Amino acid sequence: MSVEAGSKVIGKVTGIKPFGAFVELPGGKTGLVHISEVADKYVEDINEHLKVGDQIEVKVLTIGEDNKISLSIKKAQDKPKPKPRAKTPSPEDFEKKLSGFLKDSEERMSTIKRQAESRRGGRGRK
């Protein structure tokens, strides 16, 4: 199996350093998973996530001209599709709702005023 940028492969962790982990890939090549590519969250100590001998799935990010292979564990994981966001109302919908609210509000205010005047016996009316 050839190792190409963008492909997912299974590799074996052969060494761990504070900055990342070295992974042996099919065909005997070795690549590096930088500590920032180990997990979706912040990784302070890579030893909490990986140990020498672990079989892991990695995605090949790049293969440099000097044949250095950059790998990612977090990009190799299939993530669930994000839920669709609620539809944002259009300006026309907003205007329609606002005018309906204003109409309803004016009707309620006039009802309240009529009730208040009837309690006072109609005083103050011209």
Side-chain angles (χ1 to χ4, degrees), residues 37-51:
E37 292 295 329
V38 172
D40 285 329
K41 60 182 181 174
Y42 176 74
V43 176
E44 187 170 337
D45 183 7
I46 194 167
N47 293 299
E48 294 176 0
H49 295 268
L50 299 171
K51 63 182 186 287

Side-chain angles (χ1 to χ4, degrees), residues 18-46:
F19 55 84
F22 292 98
V23 178
E24 184 179 339
L25 304 172
K29 295 183 177 186
T30 300
L32 174 71
V33 177
H34 188 267
I35 193 168
S36 65
E37 292 295 329
V38 172
D40 285 329
K41 60 182 181 174
Y42 176 74
V43 176
E44 187 170 337
D45 183 7
I46 194 167

Side-chain angles (χ1 to χ4, degrees), residues 83-97:
K83 295 177 184 174
R85 293 182 0 185
K87 180 184 169 190
T88 306
S90 68
E92 294 82 24
D93 292 340
F94 177 75
E95 291 293 329
K96 191 182 290 184
K97 285 183 179 181

Side-chain angles (χ1 to χ4, degrees), residues 9-106:
V9 294
I10 302 293
K12 181 179 178 182
V13 177
T14 58
I16 295 180
K17 299 290 180 188
F19 55 84
F22 292 98
V23 178
E24 184 179 339
L25 304 172
K29 295 183 177 186
T30 300
L32 174 71
V33 177
H34 188 267
I35 193 168
S36 65
E37 292 295 329
V38 172
D40 285 329
K41 60 182 181 174
Y42 176 74
V43 176
E44 187 170 337
D45 183 7
I46 194 167
N47 293 299
E48 294 176 0
H49 295 268
L50 299 171
K51 63 182 186 287
V52 174
D54 284 352
Q55 294 281 330
I56 56 172
E57 182 179 29
V58 293
K59 182 173 183 175
V60 180
L61 299 178
T62 60
I63 300 175
E65 291 185 24
D66 52 0
N67 287 327
K68 288 185 178 178
I69 302 172
S70 178
L71 305 170
S72 174
I73 295 171
K74 67 182 183 182
K75 291 184 180 151
Q77 298 169 348
D78 293 325
K79 295 185 176 64
K81 293 182 179 179
K83 295 177 184 174
R85 293 182 0 185
K87 180 184 169 190
T88 306
S90 68
E92 294 82 24
D93 292 340
F94 177 75
E95 291 293 329
K96 191 182 290 184
K97 285 183 179 181
L98 184 60
S99 66
F101 173 78
L102 287 172
K103 180 180 177 187
D104 186 47
S105 179
E106 288 171 359

